[in-house]
């Protein structure tokens, strides 16, 4: 049998024995036979397998231990539609940015009066700890322009298991990297959209590429995992294929390529046609094969890939690479807080479902407004094209944000879908 400590049981391990008291039932015991009865008790409170001896029956009667909660009970009253609380969250800590990127979905530039204040962010961090959040990503704007970033990371270190940032890398000096490492940063996602010429022009900053690569090296030096996110547009296809080799040589753990969404400063003119998107995926596939043969350890991802089921089957079993199956996690296990406190399903679907100045994170997660959007995500394949498609189980209808901002219609066909 297996047991666990009753929640009101308090224990002291001392030289002369084990002192036990239950504050709720006011039962007490002192175990002096440490070698036998003591070991039985120790195993019981640590859920190890024990026989139902006289001693164990005594511990149960005095409410020191209770039968181990069955595995199935952990899942009782939990929804299949979404997690009981968010598992992952993104928190925008500033609308300010030192770049003026042509594709910025947030129109980030200057700090706004509506930005969350320091005390408000600390209250949010407390809420995240309370709901047992597993991963928190700090973003902006550019999060490293906020002078309190290191303090925020340090505040939740050890209380939120994985802490990450999304950054352009411009301010990641060796000194700043050391501060972030000591504060508790686990991973940094750096935005790089091509080689030097394109990236610098796209970011409207002369040395953006060089600073980003330098940031990669600084993070690696201090043992912080580095991932790169690249935005795919009509103008940087060749650059991204070449960038894959650069990042592979640098030993980046992941590169995720995301097709541009027409939101913020990005527009439809930047988007690839469905034919161009398919062609790029084919070229990327060949590049992955080439890099694998060279011994690359970088995981390359792009999604969704629509009807390319057979193309990636051979890679999937041997190498975590291009994402074959697309599954949107917005409001399933994650949501995002924008710098002004608005809560949105994700960074690409900037439609508020609540504001943290009015409601708690838990209230927003469980709100009717959130449920309305979940129904939209669940019915993402509810259109004439997807209903007739044999591959819709892979792409799940594609990105709902692309549909909305391209057609102003949640039920339209994904603009990047290349399946005839």
């Amino acid at each position: 049998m297996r047991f666990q400590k009753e929640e009101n049981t308090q224990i002291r391990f001392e030289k002369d024995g084990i002192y036990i008291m239950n504050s709720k039932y006011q039962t007490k015991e002192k175990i002096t036979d440490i070698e036998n009865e003591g070991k039985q008790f120790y195993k019981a409170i640590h859920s190890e397998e024990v026989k139902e001896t006289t001693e164990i029956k005594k511990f149960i009667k005095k409410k020191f231990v209770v039968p181990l909660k069955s595995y199935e009970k952990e899942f009782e009253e939990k929804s299949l539609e979404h997690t009981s609380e968010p598992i992952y969250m993104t928190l925008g800590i500033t609308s300010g940015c030192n770049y003026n990127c042509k594709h910025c979905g947030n129109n980030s530039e200057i700090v706004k009066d509506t930005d969350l204040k320091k005390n408000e962010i600390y209250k949010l961090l407390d809420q995240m700890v309370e709901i047992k959040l597993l991963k928190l990503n700090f973003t902006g704007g550019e999060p490293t322009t906020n002078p309190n970033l290191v303090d925020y990371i340090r505040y939740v270190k050890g209380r939120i298991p994985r802490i990450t940032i999304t950054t352009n890398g411009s301010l990641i000096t060796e000194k700043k990297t050391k501060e972030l490492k000591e504060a508790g940063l686990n991973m940094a996602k750096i935005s790089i959209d091509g080689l030097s010429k394109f990236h610098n022009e796209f970011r409207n900053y002369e040395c953006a590429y060089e600073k980003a690569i330098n940031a990669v090296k600084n993070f690696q030096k201090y043992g912080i995992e580095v991932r790169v996110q690249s935005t795919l547009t009509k103008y940087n296809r060749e650059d991204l294929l070449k960038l894959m080799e650069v990042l592979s040589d640098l030993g980046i753990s992941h590169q995720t390529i995301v097709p541009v969404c027409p939101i913020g400063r990005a527009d439809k003119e930047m988007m690839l046609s469905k034919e161009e998107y398919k062609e790029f995926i084919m070229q990327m596939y060949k590049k992955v094969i080439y890099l694998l043969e060279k011994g690359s350890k970088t995981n390359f991802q792009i999604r969704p890939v629509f009807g390319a089921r057979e193309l990636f089957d051979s890679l999937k079993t041997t190498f975590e690479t291009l994402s074959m199956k697309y599954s949107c996690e917005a409001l399933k296990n994650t949501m995002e807080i924008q710098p002004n406190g608005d809560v949105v399903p994700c960074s690409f679907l900037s439609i508020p479902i609540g504001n943290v100045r009015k409601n708690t994170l838990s209230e927003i997660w469980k709100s009717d407004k959130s449920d309305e959007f979940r129904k939209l995500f669940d019915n993402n394949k509810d259109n004439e094209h997807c209903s007739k498609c044999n591959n819709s189980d892979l792409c799940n209808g594609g990105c709902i944000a692309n549909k909305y901002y391209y057609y102003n219609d949640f039920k339209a066909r994904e603009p990047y879908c290349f399946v005839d």
Side-chain angles (χ1 to χ4, degrees):
M1 297 182 64
R2 294 181 187 273
F3 300 89
Q4 64 184 25
K5 182 174 74 70
E6 203 278 336
E7 62 180 348
N8 298 289
T9 297
Q10 301 293 324
I11 306 165
R12 289 281 297 272
F13 292 92
E14 301 292 343
K15 276 285 186 180
D16 64 334
I18 304 172
Y19 293 77
I20 316 164
M21 181 172 285
N22 187 292
S23 58
K24 181 177 180 180
Y25 299 100
Q26 290 295 295
T27 52
K28 62 181 181 178
E29 181 77 19
K30 179 183 178 182
I31 300 175
T32 56
D33 183 5
I34 296 174
E35 282 301 312
N36 297 299
E37 189 179 2
K39 283 186 178 178
Q40 286 281 318
F41 178 73
Y42 184 85
K43 286 182 178 181
I45 63 173
H46 287 86
S47 303
E48 295 183 28
E49 189 74 35
V50 293
K51 295 179 180 179
E52 192 173 349
T53 61
T54 304
E55 289 82 6
I56 291 294
K57 289 179 180 178
K58 179 176 66 175
F59 301 150
I60 296 171
K61 186 176 181 179
K62 290 194 171 185
K63 303 293 186 182
F64 297 149
V65 298
V66 292
L68 184 65
K69 188 183 293 184
S70 67
Y71 181 68
E72 291 77 11
K73 284 186 177 179
E74 294 290 347
F75 302 95
E76 287 181 359
E77 299 180 0
K78 298 293 174 68
S79 169
L80 284 172
E81 309 301 322
H82 56 86
T83 56
S84 54
E85 300 284 1
I87 303 292
Y88 317 111
M89 288 196 70
T90 295
L91 172 60
I93 57 174
T94 179
S95 56
C97 185
N98 53 343
Y99 285 0
N100 185 24
C101 304
K102 294 180 180 179
H103 67 306
C104 180
N106 297 328
N107 280 316
S108 300
E109 192 172 1
I110 59 173
V111 176
K112 298 176 182 176
D113 292 337
T114 55
D115 282 4
L116 293 166
K117 304 300 186 287
K118 185 176 179 179
N119 67 312
E120 292 177 308
I121 290 177
Y122 277 118
K123 288 180 181 177
L124 282 175
L125 297 178
D126 285 335
Q127 288 183 43
M128 292 175 187
V129 170
E130 186 178 345
I131 63 174
K132 298 180 180 178
L133 193 74
L134 297 185
K135 175 186 171 184
L136 171 60
N137 181 51
F138 289 100
T139 185
E142 171 51 45
T144 58
T145 63
N146 187 314
N148 302 310
L149 172 63
V150 171
D151 291 333
Y152 296 148
I153 294 173
R154 186 181 294 114
Y155 187 71
V156 291
K157 178 182 180 181
R159 300 196 293 162
I160 296 178
R162 186 163 172 82
I163 307 168
T164 68
I165 62 170
T166 298
T167 175
N168 58 35
S170 60
L171 302 177
I172 305 299
T173 61
E174 186 168 346
K175 179 183 177 182
K176 175 60 72 175
T177 309
K178 185 178 180 182
E179 290 177 353
L180 291 167
K181 174 67 175 179
E182 291 174 348
L185 183 68
N186 301 114
M187 187 272 283
K189 183 180 288 184
I190 301 180
S191 303
I192 308 179
D193 303 303
L195 302 183
S196 181
K197 185 176 186 299
F198 177 84
H199 184 76
N200 292 345
E201 290 177 358
F202 203 47
R203 299 276 165 180
N204 281 310
Y205 194 89
E206 187 175 348
C207 298
Y209 177 80
E210 291 72 19
K211 286 182 176 291
I213 295 298
N214 186 62
V216 168
K217 294 177 179 177
N218 280 332
F219 283 130
Q220 289 177 324
K221 180 177 179 179
Y222 282 88
I224 297 173
E225 181 189 353
V226 186
R227 300 189 178 196
V228 168
Q229 180 157 312
S230 305
T231 302
L232 171 65
T233 74
K234 189 184 289 285
Y235 313 114
N236 64 340
R237 287 169 283 175
E238 290 300 320
D239 258 40
L240 287 184
L241 293 172
K242 294 175 182 175
L243 180 64
M244 288 171 66
E245 293 194 51
V246 174
L247 300 179
S248 178
D249 290 343
L250 284 171
I252 296 294
S253 68
H254 290 71
Q255 182 195 19
T256 300
I257 297 177
V258 180
V260 67
C261 179
I263 179 178
R265 289 197 286 267
D267 57 38
K268 295 179 182 180
E269 296 301 314
M270 292 182 181
M271 298 176 68
L272 282 71
S273 68
K274 58 187 69 176
E275 294 81 12
E276 290 170 330
Y277 185 56
K278 181 178 182 179
E279 181 184 359
F280 177 81
I281 287 176
M282 296 295 291
Q283 292 173 329
M284 186 177 175
Y285 171 81
K286 292 176 182 177
K287 180 65 74 172
V288 170
I289 295 293
Y290 167 74
L291 292 173
L292 276 174
E293 291 173 348
K294 288 182 63 179
S296 175
K297 299 300 182 184
T298 301
N299 298 308
F300 298 102
Q301 301 175 336
I302 187 169
R303 56 185 182 271
V305 296
F306 306 104
R309 185 192 302 264
E310 295 81 8
L311 187 62
F312 302 115
D313 275 348
S314 60
L315 286 177
K316 192 177 180 184
T317 56
T318 57
F319 196 77
E320 182 191 349
T321 182
L322 298 109
S323 301
M324 184 176 71
K325 188 164 184 177
Y326 177 76
S327 180
C328 181
E329 296 182 332
L331 294 181
K332 299 293 185 183
N333 56 33
T334 184
M335 62 185 182
E336 178 166 330
I337 305 168
Q338 296 185 326
N340 66 353
D342 280 343
V343 177
V344 297
C346 76
S347 56
F348 293 109
L349 191 59
S350 189
I351 303 176
I353 55 175
N355 189 286
V356 296
R357 287 182 169 128
K358 298 178 181 178
N359 297 98
T360 66
L361 295 175
S362 187
E363 288 170 343
I364 294 170
W365 182 254
K366 298 170 184 175
S367 68
D368 292 341
K369 189 72 172 178
S370 293
D371 284 340
E372 288 176 22
F373 273 90
R374 289 185 182 109
K375 290 177 183 177
L376 287 174
F377 291 119
D378 290 340
N379 298 323
N380 196 26
K381 296 185 288 186
D382 186 16
N383 62 68
E384 184 179 358
H385 176 77
C386 291
S387 64
K388 299 176 181 178
C389 180
N390 294 326
N391 293 287
S392 60
D393 61 316
L394 294 182
C395 68
N396 286 313
C399 176
I400 199 169
N402 282 339
K403 298 179 181 186
Y404 179 73
Y405 291 111
Y406 194 88
Y407 298 111
N408 196 30
D409 182 359
F410 286 117
K411 293 188 177 182
R413 176 181 175 181
E414 155 75 68
Y416 285 111
C417 177
F418 50 73
V419 178
D420 293 331

